[in-house]
Amino acid sequence: MDNSFIIDKLYKRFGQDILKMDTASDILTFTVASPVIHDLIDFLKNDENLNFSFLTDLCGIHYPDRGLPLGVVYHLHNLSENNRIRIKTFTTLANPAVRTVTDLFSTANWMERETYDFYGIIFEGHPNLKRILNVEYMDFFPMRKEYPLEDPTREDKDDRYFGR
Amino acid sequence: MNMETPVLAYHKADAPDGFSAPGIFATTLDRVVGLARKNSIWPLPFATSCCGIEFMATMGAHYDLGRFGAERLSFSPRQADLLMVMGTIAKKMAPVIQQVYIQMAEPRWVLAVGACAASGGIFDSYSVLQGIDRVVPVDVYVPGCPPRPEQIIDGFMKIQELVAKEPLRRRYSKEYKEMLAEYGIL
């Protein structure tokens, strides 16, 4: 199975919803519209020729300068032919909702909780979408760029000592 | 045959201040209790990172914290006298530290070992507690990242000084209770 086969198959099925395709870092990458993400991953997993049966990773990303700033990145792996593929999808900050893939991959449960915890992306249909790593009372999403990395409760730091 | 006197290897505690005459020695109860306590501290090691590794060296034969009467570690807070916090404490772990402290019986002391336990250290981050003194009262801070075993022993000996000089009524005082109430501990 080479890349052109995968590209043909995906364009035939999801042509108008594929926004971008490239092979950054030697991994075939598709950027797709967020409403089709579940159907596309379902297709990649369950099509008998594609057979991407393993979800390697699922994570969030934030580009504050873009029109659609919040993204989710999926890494899929075809274990029998050792093929990898990367799917990206982006949403707005106002309504960061993406359909869950927990019905396709059980492992997505904790990955989506982590993505929600750090980026505030709502996975619609997730069975238990709550914080997983941070404290429950945290009232912000720390990996979004508008929040400072430093602890806001420190009073003893003088900006002059840090060149700012 | 000439035989040398063997050198005694154990640590001999000095007698506290008091009045002595042939056959008698008089001092205060505080000092006797303090003398006994200071040479039989049971530490509870709460080790989360590299400071914990230094503590393992401190407990080992080369540095040997047992020389100070502290070779018996208490992994149950109920029997522990000294909470030794060694390492980075995440905010999610802060209630655990406080719970361990609450479970310890009075009198109890706390030693914050290393920059992370004392102030958050290099981890000035949304997820890390900026010093354990935000959740429990700390008696002695040991600086260093991580501190060497000598520094941990120095901090431990500072605790011993506090233990030896502690008045028996201190834990019942109004000031002490107010201090605990500030931390939400009663």
Side-chain angles (χ1 to χ4, degrees), chain A residues 19-81:
Chain A
L19 309 173
K20 198 177 150 205
M21 191 274 291
D22 63 279
T23 51
S25 305
D26 294 337
I27 299 183
L28 189 58
T29 305
F30 290 91
T31 304
V32 304
S34 63
V36 297
I37 189 72
H38 182 274
D39 292 345
L40 187 124
I41 288 173
D42 190 5
F43 181 66
L44 285 169
K45 183 191 177 191
N46 291 319
D47 185 88
E48 56 184 18
N49 296 315
L50 293 171
N51 195 25
F52 284 96
S53 58
F54 185 76
L55 180 68
T56 310
D57 196 14
L58 185 165
C59 61
I61 196 160
H62 186 206
Y63 293 107
D65 300 332
R66 292 192 186 173
L68 292 172
L70 276 179
V72 185
V73 184
Y74 305 80
H75 287 231
L76 295 162
H77 194 176
N78 177 333
L79 293 165
S80 55
E81 298 190 41

Side-chain angles (χ1 to χ4, degrees), chain A residues 98-111:
Chain A
V98 174
R99 199 173 148 195
T100 181
V101 293
T102 47
D103 52 334
L104 303 171
F105 296 102
S106 297
T107 189
N109 189 317
W110 284 12
M111 293 175 182

Side-chain angles (χ1 to χ4, degrees), chain B residues 47-56 58 85-88 113-117 144-147 152:
Chain B
T48 53
S49 49
C50 44
C51 291
I53 308 291
E54 296 297 312
F55 173 72
M56 292 169 209
T58 313
V85 181
M86 298 163 283
T88 318
V113 176
C116 290
C145 185
I152 299 180

